[in-house]
Amino acid sequence: MQREAMEYDVVVVGGGPAGLASAIRLRQRAAEKGNDLSVCLIEKGAEIGAHILSGAIMDPRALSELFPDWEADGAPLNAPVSEDRFFFFSATGAMRVPNVFLPQCFHNEGNYVVSLGNVCRWLGERAEALGVEIYPGFAGAEVLFDENGAVKGVATGDMGRLRDGSEGPSFQPGMELHGKYTFFAEGCRGHLGKQLQDRFHLDDGVDPQTYGIGLKELWEIRPENHKTGLVIHSGGWPMKPDTYGGGFLYHLENHQVAVGFVVGLGYKDPYLSPFEEFQRYKTHPGIRKFLEGGERIAYGARALTAGGLQSLPKLVFPGGVLVGDDAGFLTASRIKGAHCAIKSGMLAADACFDALAAERRRDELSAYPEAFERSWLREELHRARNFKPWMNKGQTLGAMMFGVDQVVLRGRAPWTLHIDTPDYAKLKPAAECAPIAYPKPDGALTFDRMSSVFLSSTKHEEDQPCHLSLKDATAPITVNLPKYDAPEQRYCPAGVYEILCDENGANPRLQINAPNCIHCKTCDIKDPLQNIVWLAPQGGEGPTYPNM
Amino acid sequence: MKILVPVKRVIDYNIKARVKADGSGVDLANVKMSINPFDEIAIEEAVRLKEAGIATEVLAVSCGIAACQETLRSAMAIGADRGILVETDAELQPLAVAKLLKALCDREQPQLVLCGKQAIDDDANQTGQMLAALAGWPQATFASKVVIADGEATVTREIDGGLETLRIGLPAVISADLRLNEPRYATLPNIMKAKKKPLDTVKPADLGVDVTPRLSTLKVSEPPKRGAGVKVADAAELMNKLRNEAKVI
Ligand SMILES: Cc1cc2nc3c(=O)[nH]c(=O)nc-3n(C[C@H](O)[C@H](O)[C@H](O)COP(=O)(O)OP(=O)(O)OC[C@H]3O[C@@H](n4cnc5c(N)ncnc54)[C@H](O)[C@@H]3O)c2cc1C
Ligand code: SF4
């Protein structure tokens, strides 16, 4: 069956803050100038917001540039940060860091506790009102190139292929979306963005990207434990001093709190399980006291980029741009990327609009990186540039030195530190580490993976090609298992990877429970051999997060 | 032959529904909503009848808030020709919906109303039957196969332990069961086309229908949580527990 094609001025892949802001800005500029410009945005989630998982404390700076009247327009930023607390946890105690010693980047006055998914839902409505064509339920599955090698758009995935790849009874081919320019806004570890980086050598000469995995739950807690706008961050326990990680607890509106934990994916111990660390984190007295008597209502996980300025790839290539976390704009010291995503989308949209007005097409939008160089975004990332490299040197020393970097030198340190090893190459052999005995879930405060995944409302058609593909099908058993004790069993927050043996406990094999996948992308990042390649499953599948 | 298919906007079947803390209903804030799966089957069947040259037009109707337009667009992406939204913010109960549909049947004169057997949110399983009664039309519920010929419908129904086949005259109401068909995927080109299909909006008052609820909901609660399981050492302990703790034998 032949794929149909449709022509647009601009095609945007991904409906997170970056993609939506790009599309909105393009249509705003077009409305100002009174010319028409067709913008199409596709989103792999079943609706806008369905795949968005964030903290989140939102810095409204970029949003205010995009929609100066966002407050009057009803943007769901309803819980201004009312109090900031930062702790270093030990197993049972907590040391509060007085706010005066906290680097500026850890202060949150003027920011809002939000559900980024709901902010995206709102942005989606705005975008549609401005004339953006939004198609949720369709994943960009393939980048299309024109005869000159420039990106000419994307193709959405086929529907109804059977497990072996053949066309099933309900088969429907994907569709080609062609644009004069294509925006890639897939968020952290975009699977098309990754291909583009390789093809156009976008990351030549920059540090390897580093990542974290963030796990999060939404709770409805007892009214007496709730204080709208209270934000708590912590370092220390349960992470060992040599591993970067930290927790957060944000009080939203409606007696809800977002509790979460981020673990740097450069961790070395193959026995570490980010999921179990998160569960354990909730048992700390400083966190437990808020959650007890409450009810968990949602769960999910998502990787985030943390390399900052030193890892930022080239942003443009013929016919397209990378925006948001697909490029790696995220201020790691603040774990804030939403405003960076919006800002980068706006900068790219401006460059694109001007190019279209000059009748250009499918060239490099070099005005975008130039504008970035002059922007506050670049300034913010520059100040924070040494955070992750310091943290790599261990949490305690790292925190101290980053403190010096930020409080004493205000981000203007004469040094820029670098990261030279990618996250996947950092695991130590299991033989050099000891298994970690994590406590059993109690079903009230702590849970197992299966009951958690259930709350993410994830679904995938079982009978389709496995979207977690292995370059070498034997490597999980011949290398990962003996050398690292199959770390994918532990880093996957959805229990997708299982080592199963026969009844005699022999002949281990890797079972991939692909329907459970919640699209966090951690396996694609952390597999020590880079053998796991995440591909887009059928559109509309994956988690369906409410309010995340 | 014109077919009218009512479609309801309901919580997506994939979402774990959660009851609001005050027990007043299910929490729908920012929860994914979709077309009721049985209605999707009904639309698919109507579109197949049109593709087979038996029907000439498929009309989708939804009753509810403005967002039900999306539900109508989903129906049109599968192949419905046009949509009518009966827009109201009021709570709609099956009888009110049946009256609205009756009024639209008077106006549109379809030969067949093909509806889902029930909506997965309230599981009421009443609207089709009430509509048939109000219109004085024959009905065949829980259809697993529909054949239309010579002004009659032959409908196979799944019943306990077997199949029942009915023949009814048209116009009629038929409600779709799960196995009637497997709806197609709505493709992107069809979704794009659906955006351009006609969609009219009317109000209940335009149809002269009073939708005031007749039933009041006292309380909504979740089923009791299952307690943790226990491992028993042997059959004797199991018997003991079944007899003395669970008191089931
Ligand atoms: C646990 C956690 C806590 C965080 N806390 C904060 C915080 O407090 N404050 C803050 O500002 N930021 C925070 N961030 C970071 C912030 O969430 C991201 O920086 C931001 O979401 C990036 O926006 P984006 O649009 O680039 O990508 P995303 O938000 O990831 O959006 C990408 C979208 O594109 C879609 N997509 C991806 N690939 C495709 C494809 N091929 N085809 C179609 N669609 C596709 C995805 O489904 C998704 O909807 C946090 C992140 C995490 C994980
Ligand atoms: S399979 Fe990979 S992308 Fe999916 S949930 Fe597990 S780690 Fe994340």
Side-chain angles (χ1 to χ4, degrees), chain A residues 71-356:
Chain A
E71 212 162 348
D73 291 342
L77 281 67
N78 303 322
V81 173
S82 58
E83 191 189 339
D84 242 328
R85 298 182 198 161
F86 194 102
F87 295 96
F88 269 100
F89 278 176
S90 64
T92 51
M95 190 187 77
R96 170 119 188 235
V97 182
N99 285 14
V100 289
F101 293 131
L102 278 183
Q104 191 51 39
C105 58
F106 290 141
H107 286 256
N108 282 301
E109 297 96 343
N111 296 334
Y112 294 79
V113 182
V114 302
S115 148
L116 190 61
N118 291 349
V119 172
C120 287
R121 287 182 176 93
W122 180 83
L123 287 170
E125 286 166 17
R126 297 277 114 190
E128 285 205 303
L130 283 160
V132 178
E133 285 183 37
I134 299 188
Y135 298 106
F138 294 92
E142 183 188 336
V143 185
L144 305 171
F145 299 93
D146 69 10
E147 56 289 356
N148 304 317
V151 171
K152 87 166 173 194
V154 292
T156 64
D158 297 337
M159 306 289 274
R161 278 196 190 278
L162 304 181
R163 185 156 266 270
D164 62 5
S166 64
E167 299 177 8
S170 52
F171 175 78
Q172 299 280 0
M175 181 180 191
E176 297 195 2
L177 299 166
H178 300 167
K180 292 177 183 151
Y181 294 98
T182 306
F183 281 48
F184 292 86
E186 305 165 284
C188 175
R189 196 74 168 191
H191 87 287
L192 300 181
K194 182 176 142 186
Q195 294 168 20
L196 290 164
Q197 299 210 20
D198 287 347
R199 180 174 174 121
F200 292 110
H201 305 287
L202 303 178
D203 52 2
D204 280 4
V206 301
D207 288 359
Q209 185 59 273
T210 62
Y211 300 89
I213 173 174
L215 304 106
K216 170 178 158 182
E217 293 173 356
L218 195 66
W219 283 65
E220 192 165 291
I221 62 171
R222 290 211 175 121
E224 61 269 27
N225 293 339
H226 189 264
K227 183 173 177 249
T228 305
L230 170 63
V231 308
I232 294 176
H233 289 102
S234 69
W237 188 88
M239 291 287 94
K240 296 209 188 101
D242 67 347
T243 312
Y244 170 64
F248 62 84
L249 182 90
Y250 302 153
H251 291 240
L252 291 138
E253 63 259 47
N254 301 333
H255 304 142
Q256 293 187 348
V257 295
V259 56
F261 201 82
V262 175
V263 177
L265 283 176
Y267 70 81
K268 301 191 186 88
D269 184 344
Y271 287 113
L272 185 141
S273 160
F275 177 85
E276 309 287 355
E277 296 293 345
F278 172 39
Q279 295 304 318
R280 177 149 89 159
Y281 162 76
K282 289 184 292 175
T283 65
H284 191 278
I287 299 300
R288 171 195 286 270
K289 68 175 183 202
F290 290 106
L291 302 179
E292 254 166 5
E295 186 198 356
R296 180 173 78 145
I297 53 186
Y299 165 82
R302 178 80 171 101
L304 47 97
T305 54
L309 202 55
Q310 293 91 315
S311 304
L312 208 60
K314 189 176 168 204
L315 303 172
V316 292
F317 43 86
V321 295
L322 298 176
V323 291
D325 278 2
D326 218 350
F329 288 104
L330 180 141
T331 312
S333 62
R334 308 172 75 195
I335 18 166
K336 284 197 186 61
H339 66 299
C340 313
I342 293 177
K343 181 67 180 177
S344 65
M346 290 171 69
L347 294 170
D350 281 337
C352 180
F353 182 81
D354 294 340
L356 289 171

Side-chain angles (χ1 to χ4, degrees), chain B residues 13-247:
Chain B
Y13 72 92
N14 197 46
I15 305 286
K16 186 191 171 283
R18 204 179 68 88
V19 171
K20 284 192 224 165
D22 64 3
S24 63
V26 171
D27 187 1
L28 296 179
N30 301 300
V31 166
K32 163 116 178 78
M33 305 294 282
S34 298
I35 181 169
N36 177 41
F38 293 108
D39 302 351
E40 195 177 10
I41 294 171
I43 283 282
E44 173 69 35
E45 193 66 17
V47 171
R48 287 187 190 182
L49 286 169
K50 189 180 165 195
E51 286 166 349
I54 295 165
T56 48
E57 189 187 22
V58 178
L59 166 62
V61 174
S62 192
C63 306
I65 60 173
C68 295
Q69 289 186 18
E70 287 166 29
T71 319
L72 289 169
R73 296 284 173 211
S74 309
M76 292 192 271
I78 297 171
D81 299 291
R82 64 188 172 98
I84 298 179
L85 168 64
V86 184
E87 192 183 342
T88 169
D89 291 337
E91 182 202 336
L92 289 178
Q93 294 180 346
L95 181 60
V97 176
K99 287 180 180 171
L100 293 169
L101 294 174
K102 162 74 171 63
L104 281 175
C105 285
D106 290 345
R107 191 185 268 198
E108 295 283 344
Q109 299 289 322
Q111 291 310 113
L112 178 64
V113 172
L114 237 171
C115 55
K117 70 167 180 179
Q118 67 197 61
I120 61 165
D121 52 357
D122 57 17
D123 275 348
N125 185 354
Q126 296 170 343
T127 308
Q129 293 90 324
M130 287 176 168
L131 170 63
L134 289 171
W137 291 355
Q139 58 175 303
T141 52
F142 309 144
S144 61
K145 187 172 176 213
V146 174
V147 178
I148 308 262
D150 308 324
E152 287 179 333
T154 309
V155 179
T156 307
R157 316 175 63 228
E158 286 184 19
I159 55 170
D160 275 353
L163 298 173
E164 179 185 50
T165 305
L166 304 179
R167 187 178 310 127
I168 54 177
L170 299 180
V173 177
I174 298 176
S175 77
D177 209 337
L178 191 63
R179 271 174 285 273
L180 181 57
N181 60 51
E182 203 172 307
R184 67 196 69 185
Y185 290 108
T187 64
L188 191 45
N190 286 339
I191 290 175
M192 290 176 170
K193 282 175 206 139
K195 283 202 170 195
K196 303 199 172 78
K197 291 185 181 175
L199 194 163
D200 293 330
T201 301
V202 296
K203 303 269 179 206
D206 304 337
L207 300 171
V209 176
D210 173 11
V211 296
T212 315
R214 306 294 183 89
L215 310 169
S216 61
T217 303
L218 300 181
K219 186 162 180 266
V220 177
S221 58
E222 278 181 35
K225 288 213 165 58
R226 223 191 85 197
V230 283
K231 260 198 185 146
V232 291
D234 50 32
E237 192 188 339
L238 176 66
M239 290 304 283
N240 179 25
K241 280 198 187 299
L242 287 176
R243 189 162 295 138
N244 300 321
E245 285 179 28
K247 299 202 186 354

